Amino acid sequence: MTFKAEYIWIDGTKPTAKLRSKTRVLADGAELPVWGFDGSSTNQAGGSSSDRVLKPVFTCPDPIRGGSNVLVLCEVLDIDMTPHASNTRAALVEVAEKFADQESWFGIEQEYTFFKEGRPLGFPLGGFPAPQGGYYCGVGADEVFGREIVEKHLDLCLEAGLAISGINAEVMPGQWEFQVGPAGPVEVSDHMWIARWLLYRIAEEFDVAATLDAKPVKGDWNGAGAHTNFSTKAMREGYDPIITACEALSANAAEHVKYYGADIEERLTGHHETAPWNKFSYGVSDRGASVRIPWQVEVDKKGYIEDRRPNANVDPYQVTRLIVGTCCAALEKAGQV
């Protein structure tokens, strides 16, 4: 008897990495072995020395193939078994372990857009639909497009045991969101990458492409983000640490934006529920701020913050590493742990 293991990894494509995968058939009960691939075909090696290593780091049931088959998320290593330059997970693990005592939690809101035949799902041929507004959390065939894909994706994420916590239609036709979390920085990132892979894979069956482009349609349409909700144990117990975290993000704003996704300046314009990419602000209940403090958090004097800057195409390993590193270091320095 055998089972299929779908090895999944993040490639070296710039400015936005892609997901890759291939299947290995293994004997029942076999350990998942380290495997290899041709890095010259994934922007992770030159042709003269192209072998790269796949190291399994997270496994879950394969909800597409079913049975005992599994999905296997891998880190990419060089042949000396050190992290490859494109391996951003290894750096996150180091930072997460350093500040593990602060018990960081994340919830990431992943927006994305369905495309078919070169235009967003629901856009008429050669024109535009009605202006955005009625599509957000909408219902009805004239306002919602792609629901059958979204529902199947949700079901499969749940079957895989991922920490998916919700879905909703977004403000543009063919645009949707799913949320992953709350979970720790490494877990939420691993689950997000697998959830993305499942989204692409399921959309294949409908002959539809799912894109994480930050500004999929130019003009008076919202972009696509990955709003990142964050808290530590101290933030969940008091308000002063929340302000400390916001001030720390302000002091490191330029460094964060650099890694918050390609074409961020096209999305963070100061319009369409965004703050300008080069101006940091935070405020209570303010969706036009870089970082929002939910109104209930101010009332309760404890809770979490929402960094609204990350693009839909952000690498979750990068955004969680930066937020943990920046906020937890500041909280530690302030004695708010």
Side-chain angles (χ1 to χ4, degrees):
M1 298 292 291
T2 60
F3 69 97
K4 300 169 191 170
E6 189 71 15
Y7 278 58
I8 300 167
W9 73 98
I10 298 105
D11 77 1
T13 301
K14 294 182 179 179
T16 302
K18 295 182 178 182
L19 282 163
R20 309 277 183 146
S21 69
K22 61 177 182 171
T23 306
R24 183 154 185 175
V25 178
L26 297 166
D28 276 355
E31 295 290 326
L32 294 170
V34 167
W35 203 10
F37 69 99
D38 172 16
S40 68
S41 297
T42 63
N43 302 301
Q44 289 167 303
S48 61
S49 181
S50 65
D51 287 336
R52 292 295 178 261
V53 177
L54 295 174
K55 174 190 173 185
V57 292
F58 172 72
T59 305
C60 65
D62 184 339
I64 298 174
R65 288 172 168 153
S68 59
N69 303 303
V70 293
L71 302 179
V72 185
L73 185 64
C74 300
E75 284 191 19
V76 176
L77 308 179
D78 288 321
I79 57 174
D80 63 359
M81 305 306 283
T82 60
H84 184 264
S86 64
N87 179 349
T88 55
R89 185 182 188 275
L92 166 61
V93 169
E94 184 177 334
V95 171
E97 289 177 350
K98 179 179 179 181
F99 295 107
D101 289 349
Q102 294 197 38
E103 299 180 23
S104 296
W105 290 357
F106 284 89
I108 301 178
E109 306 169 24
Q110 177 68 72
E111 295 178 346
Y112 60 93
T113 310
F114 288 132
F115 269 73
K116 188 176 180 68
E117 298 176 348
R119 62 186 185 277
L121 205 61
F123 272 53
L125 183 63
F128 290 89
Q132 63 185 35
Y135 309 107
Y136 173 72
C137 295
V139 63
D142 57 337
E143 293 188 337
V144 174
F145 307 90
R147 191 186 294 277
E148 65 275 24
I149 310 173
V150 173
E151 291 289 347
K152 186 169 183 180
H153 175 249
L154 174 60
D155 287 344
L156 294 184
C157 285
L158 291 170
E159 288 178 33
L162 304 182
I164 192 164
S165 49
I167 56 172
N168 61 268
E170 270 300 334
V171 299
M172 188 176 77
Q175 192 176 66
W176 291 81
E177 173 184 301
F178 65 86
Q179 302 93 35
V180 174
V186 177
E187 181 184 19
V188 78
S189 302
D190 287 346
H191 286 211
M192 179 60 75
W193 277 116
I194 293 292
R196 286 176 173 180
W197 185 90
L198 283 169
L199 176 66
Y200 300 146
R201 176 62 183 78
I202 293 308
E204 279 182 24
E205 298 180 5
F206 294 84
D207 196 26
V208 168
T211 176
L212 304 185
D213 286 353
K215 188 72 173 178
V217 179
K218 309 301 182 188
D220 193 18
W221 299 95
N222 276 30
H227 300 157
T228 301
N229 301 282
F230 168 74
S231 69
T232 64
K233 185 174 185 292
M235 293 166 67
R236 294 189 292 273
E237 295 176 349
Y239 198 70
D240 287 346
I242 288 171
I243 300 303
T244 298
C246 289
E247 290 291 340
L249 290 171
S250 177
N252 292 274
E255 178 69 9
H256 281 234
V257 165
K258 193 186 331 181
Y259 296 100
Y260 273 13
D263 301 321
I264 199 164
E265 67 282 354
E266 293 185 14
R267 175 177 152 264
L268 298 186
T269 61
H271 304 288
H272 302 111
E273 299 181 299
T274 69
W277 67 273
N278 56 354
K279 293 182 180 179
F280 183 89
S281 60
Y282 68 89
V284 175
S285 196
D286 186 357
R287 283 179 165 79
S290 307
V291 171
R292 179 178 69 95
I293 301 171
W295 70 271
Q296 191 66 48
V297 170
E298 185 186 44
V299 170
D300 294 342
K301 298 301 178 186
K302 61 182 179 180
Y304 68 98
I305 58 175
E306 177 194 44
D307 193 335
R308 297 179 57 79
R309 295 171 294 168
N311 275 352
N313 57 16
V314 74
D315 176 352
Y317 295 134
Q318 295 272 42
V319 69
T320 54
R321 175 184 61 81
L322 286 163
I323 291 176
V324 169
T326 293
C327 295
C328 290
L331 290 166
E332 186 176 79
K333 184 177 180 180
Q336 297 170 333
V337 296

